[in-house]
Amino acid sequence: MHIPVTIAVICFSILTSSCKKESNTVIAIYKTWQWQNSIGGFSGNDTIQPSTNTVVTLTFKRNLTYTTSMNGQTLSGGSFTISKINDQVILYPQNFTASGGLFLCNNGGVMTAANNMLQLQDYNISESYTHNFR
């Protein structure tokens, strides 16, 4: 009598442990983000930001596509992937085109999303930038 219950518990444990859950960081990116600035470069203090009266946005969708817009007009788009390397969540935009001053490295960006803020720090590149969004 105890064997079927035990088998059911084992099967349930295997199924629930093998399911991949998206991290809170990944779930948090699926929306439209307004670019604030990018800081880094050779000196580590270079600051790039949108021109006055210019709003640059980056939208991530659950179907793993993104678009960039400037003042509401779509400029570019493509697909992206996300992976985890050494406890870092890395976002890889495919064929990103600089838009309105915003540029992202196709090598990917270490992603941090919390408190309604998103940061993408260029991954595996010297003189990297940290791109800040709200």
Side-chain angles (χ1 to χ4, degrees), residues 79-83 85 90-94 105-109 123:
S79 61
F80 68 93
T81 58
I82 297 173
S83 65
I85 300 173
I90 313 294
L91 180 133
Y92 297 95
Q94 306 300 313
C105 178
N106 285 322
N107 282 359
Y123 179 67

Side-chain angles (χ1 to χ4, degrees), residues 23-73:
S23 72
N24 288 337
T25 299
V26 173
I27 291 169
I29 70 157
Y30 297 125
K31 65 184 212 174
T32 297
W33 296 93
Q34 183 175 334
W35 176 51
Q36 303 297 303
N37 58 37
S38 297
I39 301 170
F42 180 72
S43 71
N45 295 316
D46 293 339
T47 299
I48 302 167
Q49 57 192 28
S51 301
T52 305
N53 299 323
T54 301
V55 175
V56 177
T57 59
L58 179 58
T59 301
F60 294 105
K61 297 179 183 172
R62 287 188 177 273
N63 67 358
L64 301 179
T65 62
Y66 70 88
T67 56
T68 59
S69 299
M70 185 169 66
N71 295 336
Q73 180 180 1

